[in-house]
Amino acid sequence: EREYSPCGYCHLLVYPNPTTGLITVQLLSDDETMDLSIYSTTGGIIRQTIIGNPGLFDLSAYGLPAGVYIIKVNTLKYSSRTMVILTK
């Protein structure tokens, strides 16, 4: 059964936050990869990809305006989400 953590900070680290674009996404687990999804605050999907654990992701590469974005990660056993602030 997959563990779900609504607190975001229990097992999922996203830093720096706020960021100008480049973030490190780290899941405190033995998973080597994770599915990463970026959402707008209105729930629209912006990007989905698979990254390593820990992995780097560049929000600024997609021409996103400054604002708040939701980072969601999934593995076979785990799911979590948190918010990140993109500054310019």
Side-chain angles (χ1 to χ4, degrees), residues 11-15 21-38 47-59 61-62 70-76 78 80 82 84:
H11 301 287
L12 177 62
L13 301 175
V14 177
Y15 57 91
L22 190 62
I23 55 173
T24 298
V25 180
Q26 183 176 5
L27 191 58
L28 301 178
S29 73
D30 58 358
D31 294 290
E32 293 181 9
T33 62
M34 56 188 144
D35 296 325
L36 174 76
S37 301
I38 309 294
R47 179 78 173 152
Q48 289 180 302
T49 190
I50 297 173
I51 64 171
N53 184 25
L56 295 175
F57 189 81
D58 191 357
L59 292 169
Y62 300 98
I70 299 164
I71 307 291
K72 182 177 179 187
V73 297
N74 288 303
T75 69
L76 291 176
Y78 185 79
S80 188
T82 192
V84 66

